[in-house]
Amino acid sequence: MTNAREQAGAADDDVAEELRAAFGDLLRADRRLRSRDPKRPGALSYAQVRALVLLDADEEATAGQLAKAADLTPASVTAMLDQLEQEGMVQRRRSDEDRRLVVVSLTPRGSKLLEQKRATWRRCWQEAVSDLPERDIVAAAAVMRRMARMIDAF
């Protein structure tokens, strides 16, 4: 016969496994989103959004800074910037401080598209959690941050 402590340990293992499975589901959904989003007409890819967010926050950045923020290679960033510039979302120019550097900045069109993307995400998030108690949302955020630290330490 198992004692209460062994039963509690088995239950804890089951709960931890449920969390691991749910986290795996979340990561797979993220990968599907990253591959699906750029195929939608007029959609921005995950990397493009990350780059535009950095430009919105910092006003301008080099291709190297954008590569790091979007987790891309410099060659991929160059191709991405070519496309974004062609679509009128960013502009490139020589740095005033160091003419060897090319800096990228957001255009008004890029800023508008980024804000539309953010508004869509805010609406989706609000709809997804609107029926959850605040304590559950706070607990979920704490668990996600802990999982992020675990992955970073792995």
Side-chain angles (χ1 to χ4, degrees):
M1 201 159 126
T2 61
N3 65 31
R5 176 174 261 159
E6 288 172 343
Q7 288 176 341
D12 288 347
D13 289 346
D14 291 344
V15 170
E17 178 57 26
E18 178 63 22
L19 177 61
R20 188 209 58 75
F23 188 66
D25 292 344
L26 178 63
L27 293 177
R28 284 186 292 281
D30 181 62
R31 281 192 300 275
R32 288 189 302 272
L33 174 67
R34 288 181 194 221
S35 66
R36 177 182 66 235
D37 226 16
K39 296 174 185 164
R40 295 179 183 168
L44 296 170
S45 73
Y46 180 81
Q48 289 171 326
V49 170
R50 297 263 324 241
L52 296 179
V53 166
L54 176 70
L55 292 174
D56 186 51
D58 294 349
E59 294 186 24
E60 64 183 27
T62 65
Q65 291 166 328
L66 292 173
K68 185 174 181 179
D71 198 22
L72 295 171
T73 66
S76 295
V77 167
T78 298
M80 179 182 72
L81 290 175
D82 288 345
Q83 179 185 3
L84 289 173
E85 190 172 40
Q86 185 177 23
E87 294 174 8
M89 290 191 261
V90 300
Q91 61 186 9
R92 292 186 261 199
R93 65 171 181 75
R94 293 275 173 200
S95 168
D96 294 334
E97 291 81 34
D98 185 345
R99 300 290 298 157
R100 296 171 295 176
L101 292 177
V102 174
V103 293
V104 183
S105 59
L106 204 55
T107 65
R109 174 175 159 65
S111 184
K112 181 180 176 184
L113 287 172
L114 178 61
E115 187 48 44
Q116 289 171 347
K117 183 78 165 184
R118 284 177 165 159
T120 298
W121 270 108
R122 280 188 214 106
R123 190 173 54 254
C124 289
W125 274 98
Q126 187 58 38
E127 289 172 9
V129 301
S130 64
D131 62 334
L132 295 174
E134 183 178 335
R135 71 180 180 281
D136 289 358
I137 296 169
V138 169
V143 169
M144 284 190 266
R145 287 187 180 101
R146 186 174 287 196
M147 295 297 100
R149 287 191 303 272
M150 176 198 68
I151 289 171
D152 285 342
F154 194 73

